[in-house]
Amino acid sequence: MSSGLFAAILLLDLLLGDPHGWPHPIVWIGRLISRLENRLREIFKDLRLAGVVLVAVMLAISGGSVWLLLQFAGAFSESLAHLVSLWIGWSCLALRSLHAESAVVVKELEAGDLEGARQALSMIVGRETTNLDEEGILKATLETVAENASDGVIAPLFYLLLGGPVFAIIYKTVSTLDSMVGYQNDKYREFGWAGARLDDLLNYIPARLTGWLFVSFAYVLGLNGSSAKKMMLRDADKHASPNAGWPEAAAAGALGVQFGGVAVYFGQQVDKPTFGDPLEQPTGKHYRQLIRLLYTSSLGFGGFIILLLVVL
């Protein structure tokens, strides 16, 4: 991938985000997963095997389709192939949309509409939001922004660098599988096993990279970089996920707040470990600090990749 194409992908996401109604491959992938899930549950009695088949089929369809589309476009013209790459790469990034969707939660909260904030939050998190108070809503919003900085921005940029649109769409397919069927409950523990484990593998480097980017740019922004590093190294491994704790703990340390604690998923209370020290109660100020950290880390990493591609 050329440096110019990579820069154009990043710029498109910054300017347009995820326009409503625009053809979106990740939406199509999610719909196909839902349809295949029902069918595979009927065919296979062994749910773990059914989940393995789902992963294999989805990777073949998504990666194969993008590869074929690029070959077909390239047979007509290089410019058309670049446009297809631009579309696919743009679809894999979620920097602007992560900001926009989380900002709705904070806007409702600061307007005094607690119910509206809960509803907006329910659109971007897996936990139940019905009974969350203001602090719980802010904490959940900060946590999801920190975690999705890796899943929605740094990891797609990383895989775009490694293998262009094909690798990026494969990563997003695995990420979508994990978000849809990777739950640790009776319905999905076996069926979602393969997708969740593959997601853990593909996010291993990007999650740690995101954590270190947060540490580095916390210093640049005048946040607590030393605490970000300390909390990340101290708390990252507490998370049930081998990856999510890295960006979450680093962000908590940089902001001086504490993430984790009690949450409710599918009607069951979960006592999550804590990340960071509760030096301050979460406020809208901390959200805006995290958004600045999100943008500077993402653009810093994106700029590094562009320079690398220029040199190479």
Side-chain angles (χ1 to χ4, degrees), residues 233-246:
L233 296 177
R234 187 191 76 180
D235 294 341
D237 289 337
K238 292 181 182 179
H239 207 290
S241 162
N243 301 316
W246 289 80

Side-chain angles (χ1 to χ4, degrees), residues 3 45 53 74 87 89 95 102 104 110 113 127 151 164 187 193 199 202 210 217 222 236 245 266 269 290 308 310:
S3 59
K45 293 182 178 180
V53 172
W87 172 50
L95 176 57
S102 60
V104 174
E110 293 185 335
D113 187 354
R127 73 187 68 187
D151 298 350
K187 181 177 181 180
W193 174 84
D199 183 75
L202 294 186
T210 304
F217 284 95
F266 303 103
Q269 181 173 301
L290 181 56
L308 186 63
V310 168

Side-chain angles (χ1 to χ4, degrees), residues 210-212 214-215 218 224 227-229 231-232 245-255 259 275 293:
T210 304
W212 284 110
F214 278 178
V215 170
N224 199 332
S227 179
K229 177 181 177 182
M231 296 302 113
M232 182 179 70
W246 289 80
E248 285 191 29
L255 301 177
F259 294 163
F275 306 90
L293 186 59

Side-chain angles (χ1 to χ4, degrees), residues 20-309:
H20 180 70
W22 185 260
H24 205 302
I26 311 306
V27 174
W28 301 338
I29 287 170
R31 291 172 181 168
L32 183 56
I33 290 171
S34 294
R35 293 179 182 178
L36 287 176
E37 176 186 348
N38 296 330
R39 183 59 178 150
L40 290 173
R41 284 181 180 274
E42 294 174 358
I43 295 174
F44 295 96
K45 293 182 178 180
D46 185 332
L47 291 181
R48 182 168 289 197
L49 176 59
V52 170
V53 172
L54 175 64
V55 171
V57 170
M58 287 305 307
L59 293 186
I61 291 175
S62 61
S65 296
V66 170
W67 183 83
L68 287 172
L69 184 59
L70 287 169
Q71 297 303 309
F72 181 78
F76 283 91
S77 73
E78 186 177 359
S79 296
L80 183 59
H82 284 163
L83 284 175
V84 172
S85 296
L86 184 63
W87 172 50
I88 298 297
W90 171 31
S91 300
C92 290
L93 291 182
L95 176 57
R96 177 73 179 271
S97 61
L98 177 58
H99 178 198
E101 291 170 6
S102 60
V104 174
V105 180
V106 177
K107 181 180 179 181
E108 296 286 357
L109 200 58
E110 293 185 335
D113 187 354
L114 198 62
E115 188 55 42
R118 289 170 178 155
Q119 179 61 33
L121 179 62
S122 70
M123 304 300 293
I124 59 174
V125 300
R127 73 187 68 187
E128 294 181 15
T129 64
T130 307
N131 297 314
L132 289 180
D133 58 12
E134 181 175 344
E135 180 182 347
I137 292 170
L138 277 168
K139 186 185 291 186
T141 303
L142 293 171
E143 287 177 14
T144 198
V145 170
E147 181 178 354
N148 282 287
S150 175
D151 298 350
V153 187
I154 301 302
L157 290 175
F158 178 76
Y159 285 105
L160 274 170
L161 171 64
L162 288 188
V166 174
F167 275 32
I169 204 70
I170 286 174
Y171 167 76
K172 290 299 293 185
T173 300
V174 173
S175 182
T176 306
L177 280 163
D178 182 60
S179 67
M180 293 181 68
V181 304
Y183 297 104
Q184 289 297 309
N185 56 29
D186 291 341
K187 181 177 181 180
Y188 287 116
R189 186 171 291 108
E190 293 299 316
F191 186 81
W193 174 84
R197 297 292 77 75
L198 186 54
D199 183 75
D200 289 343
L201 178 63
L202 294 186
N203 275 304
Y204 187 88
I205 293 175
R208 286 152 181 78
L209 178 58
T210 304
W212 284 110
L213 284 166
F214 278 178
V215 170
S216 301
F217 284 95
Y219 285 107
V220 174
L221 293 175
L223 302 176
N224 199 332
S226 61
S227 179
K229 177 181 177 182
K230 178 182 177 182
M231 296 302 113
M232 182 179 70
L233 296 177
R234 187 191 76 180
D235 294 341
D237 289 337
K238 292 181 182 179
H239 207 290
S241 162
N243 301 316
W246 289 80
E248 285 191 29
L255 301 177
V257 299
Q258 187 175 75
F259 294 163
V262 176
V264 178
Y265 295 87
F266 303 103
Q268 295 185 342
Q269 181 173 301
V270 177
D271 293 318
K272 299 170 66 177
T274 57
F275 306 90
D277 292 332
L279 303 179
E280 300 181 34
Q281 294 299 312
T283 65
K285 177 195 74 172
H286 297 107
Y287 168 74
R288 286 180 277 276
Q289 288 175 336
L290 181 56
I291 290 299
R292 287 196 293 272
L293 186 59
L294 168 69
Y295 274 102
T296 53
S297 298
S298 302
L299 294 178
F301 183 54
F304 169 77
I305 292 176
I306 292 169
L307 290 175
L308 186 63
L309 291 172

